[in-house]
Amino acid sequence: MSLHLTNAQARHTILHLQGLTRPPHRAFPPGGLYKLIRQLGFVQIDSIQWVERAQHMTLFARNQTYRPRDLARLIEKEQLLFEHWTHDSSIIPSEFYPYWRHRFARERERLDKRFENWQGGGFRDHVGAMMERIERDGPLMSRDLERAEKGPQEMWQWHDGKAALEYLWHTGDLGITARKGFQKVYDKARNTIPDEHFEQRVSHDAFVDWACREALERLGFGTPGDIARYFDLIKPAEAKAWMEDQLASGANNTLQEVSIGCAKKDETREMVARADIGSIVEDLPPLPKRMRALSPFDPVIRDRKRLEWLFGFFYRIEIYVPAHKRVWGYYVFPLLENDRLVGRIDMCANKKADALQIRKIWWEDGIKLSDARRARLDAELIRQSRLSGVSKIEWL
C-alpha cells in the first residue's frame, strides 16, 4: 500500500525542500549561501530587472540578509558556482559540472546541425578563430568584437562572433567568468571551474542516475516528467526507465510509491517519492509567518502545471502577451503566505522616482485583506524596496 500525503502536507514538503522554511531573518552562517543554492540545485537568471533580477529575488525570498554581491563573489572569486543552461541560463554548483558535460555533448550535436544549415561549413572557421582569440587575448564580451556589418543591430540579430561565442559556451569550451552590466564575460572553461571538477568524468548511466536522484531530492515526489524537467538534463523516457528499474529492483533506499492530494478536493495523483518522505513529513519545521513575493522563475513557481494541481494557482508570465490581452500585467509576482499562494502583485522599482511602485494586487478567491494580512504585505513591500535599492513605496 502506497503512502498518502494530504495536499497540505505536500505543499509544506515542497516549500521545505525548496528552502522556504528557513528562518529568513537570520544572517547566513559561513558557507550558508552556497549551501542554499546547492539545496535548490540551481538558481535561474533573468535579464529583466523589474524589481530585482530573478536570481536575487529567489535567494532573497529565502534569506532577507542576502545581497547580490554575495552571489558575484561565489562565482567570480571562489568559483564555487558556474553559469550554464537548465531550462534557461542558471547559476549551478561547480561540483555538478561533470554531469553538465553530457549536456555539452548533446548541445554540440544539436548546434552542429543548426549552424551548418545556417552558415554551412564556414561556421567552424568562426568558432576556431574565436577560440584562438580568447586563448591569445584572454576573456572578452560580445561587445568587444569588431562587427563586420554597419549600422544598429537588434539584440536577436547575432553576428558571426556572437554566434561563435554562444556556440562555444553551450558546448562547454567556454565558460562565463563574470557579468558586467549583465553582459557575459567569456573565458576558457578551464579557467572558470576548479580542476577537481573540471577533470572529473562520469558515465552516461551514472549521469542519468544522478540527475534523477538529485531532482527527486529537491522535488520530494514526482512523475518521470517532473523528474526530467527539474534540471532539464535528461528525457522523460530516461527518467521513467530509471524509476521503473528502481522499483523493480526492490531497493527501498531510493524511492517509494505515493499518492498526493491535489488542490482540488477528492483528487489525488499517483507518483514516486524519495524513500525518506515519511520522516520528512513528520519533522517538517513551521513556515515563517510572513508574506513573500516570489520571482516568476523561482523553482517553486517554474513548473506551471505542477504549481496548478499542487497549489491551485494558475500563473503565466505575460511579458510576450500584447498589452490589451494581458489578464494581469507585464511582470507580475506571486505572493506566498505560509503554505498558500494568496495573490499576485504588479510592482516595479522605479529608480528615477526612488520608489517601489505598486500598480495593482489580485487576491485569490476566498482571500480577504485582513489587518494582519495587510501588515504582512506592507512588511514585504518594505523588504522588496530595500532589495531593489529604493527608499519609498508608492501606490499608483
Side-chain angles (χ1 to χ4, degrees):
M1 182 176 179
S2 66
L3 177 68
H4 176 73
L5 270 62
T6 67
N7 183 248
Q9 288 174 323
R11 293 196 314 269
H12 197 158
T13 297
I14 189 63
L15 294 173
H16 171 61
L17 295 177
Q18 292 293 332
L20 285 161
T21 56
R22 292 167 170 253
H25 61 284
R26 294 183 188 170
F28 284 116
L33 176 58
Y34 174 75
K35 290 177 182 177
L36 171 59
I37 295 170
R38 195 191 186 289
Q39 178 181 353
L40 298 176
F42 65 92
V43 180
Q44 188 170 325
I45 297 172
D46 185 41
S47 61
I48 295 174
Q49 190 169 350
W50 211 237
V51 172
E52 219 345 323
R53 297 197 195 278
Q55 63 272 28
H56 303 313
M57 288 196 71
T58 295
L59 297 170
F60 185 79
R62 290 150 176 83
N63 191 304
Q64 70 188 56
T65 73
Y66 166 79
R67 296 295 180 268
R69 63 177 179 271
D70 301 331
L71 183 62
R73 185 186 70 253
L74 293 184
I75 299 168
E76 299 171 19
K77 303 295 184 184
E78 301 182 29
Q79 293 190 338
L80 289 172
L81 305 168
F82 75 103
E83 181 180 335
H84 216 272
W85 212 257
T86 54
H87 325 86
D88 209 312
S89 194
S90 300
I91 302 299
I92 305 159
S94 294
E95 62 184 284
F96 295 175
Y97 188 83
Y99 303 98
W100 254 255
R101 286 188 175 278
H102 290 269
R103 170 184 280 279
F104 302 157
R106 185 180 71 194
E107 286 295 281
R108 187 179 299 276
E109 182 178 350
R110 181 181 71 87
L111 290 176
D112 280 352
K113 294 177 182 177
R114 175 182 169 186
F115 276 61
E116 281 204 25
N117 290 336
W118 177 31
Q119 292 186 324
F123 90 92
R124 297 185 186 279
D125 295 332
H126 294 301
V127 167
M130 183 59 63
M131 199 68 200
E132 288 176 7
R133 174 170 176 170
I134 291 177
E135 288 175 347
R136 181 185 68 245
D137 300 335
L140 58 76
M141 295 182 285
S142 61
R143 71 186 184 198
D144 298 328
L145 302 174
E146 299 85 5
R147 293 185 176 183
E149 48 274 309
K150 302 295 183 181
Q153 283 190 315
E154 298 295 340
M155 57 182 287
W156 57 84
Q157 292 176 323
W158 288 351
H159 51 79
D160 294 340
K162 173 64 174 177
L165 285 172
E166 286 293 298
Y167 173 90
L168 289 164
W169 177 57
H170 277 282
T171 57
D173 289 310
L174 294 181
I176 307 300
T177 189
R179 279 193 182 248
K180 295 182 179 180
F182 212 68
Q183 283 268 322
K184 296 172 184 172
V185 181
Y186 299 87
D187 196 4
K188 292 188 298 182
R190 178 178 289 278
N191 294 340
T192 67
I193 303 293
D195 287 346
E196 61 185 302
H197 305 312
F198 188 82
E199 299 295 344
Q200 186 182 353
R201 302 291 190 276
V202 295
S203 69
H204 184 267
D205 288 347
F207 157 67
V208 172
D209 182 70
W210 178 90
C212 292
R213 289 175 186 267
E214 292 291 322
L216 201 56
E217 186 83 5
R218 292 157 178 83
L219 289 167
F221 47 84
T223 64
D226 295 335
I227 292 169
R229 282 193 301 272
Y230 192 79
F231 289 108
D232 198 28
L233 285 173
I234 59 174
K235 298 176 181 178
E238 292 176 301
K240 185 173 186 290
W242 174 85
M243 183 186 77
E244 291 174 345
D245 182 64
Q246 294 296 316
L247 291 172
S249 69
N252 296 324
N253 61 344
T254 303
L255 47 82
Q256 62 176 301
E257 295 177 284
V258 294
S259 64
I260 305 294
C262 299
K264 290 183 179 179
K265 290 184 179 180
D266 302 323
E267 286 190 15
T268 60
R269 297 202 173 200
E270 304 298 321
M271 50 192 64
V272 297
R274 44 189 285 182
D276 60 351
I277 194 71
S279 60
I280 289 173
V281 172
E282 288 178 4
D283 296 329
L284 285 170
L287 285 156
K289 295 185 181 299
R290 62 165 57 188
M291 190 175 293
R292 289 183 269 194
L294 300 183
S295 162
F297 304 106
D298 191 289
V300 171
I301 301 297
R302 193 204 58 76
D303 190 333
R304 312 289 196 236
K305 291 182 179 179
R306 183 176 166 101
L307 180 74
E308 190 168 1
W309 72 256
L310 185 56
F311 286 87
F313 189 79
F314 172 79
Y315 180 79
R316 69 173 178 176
I317 191 164
E318 296 183 305
I319 295 171
Y320 303 110
V321 177
H324 67 282
K325 292 185 177 181
R326 290 177 190 146
V327 177
W328 295 292
Y330 176 79
Y331 203 95
V332 172
F333 302 89
L335 292 171
L336 176 70
E337 183 181 46
N338 297 325
D339 67 344
R340 298 177 66 190
L341 287 156
V342 295
R344 62 202 83 205
I345 183 169
D346 184 353
M347 62 180 178
C348 179
N350 186 328
K351 297 299 179 73
K352 289 184 178 180
D354 191 28
L356 182 70
Q357 296 179 330
I358 317 300
R359 293 182 175 86
K360 192 171 181 180
I361 295 180
W362 297 262
W363 300 106
E364 291 293 280
D365 291 344
I367 299 297
K368 305 297 183 183
L369 187 57
S370 64
D371 289 344
R373 179 164 288 128
R374 181 56 187 257
R376 288 192 286 270
L377 172 64
D378 289 344
E380 176 63 2
L381 295 180
I382 291 171
R383 288 189 289 268
Q384 291 296 325
S385 68
R386 290 173 179 166
L387 173 66
S388 60
V390 296
S391 65
K392 57 188 176 183
I393 297 166
E394 289 182 351
W395 292 80
L396 301 180

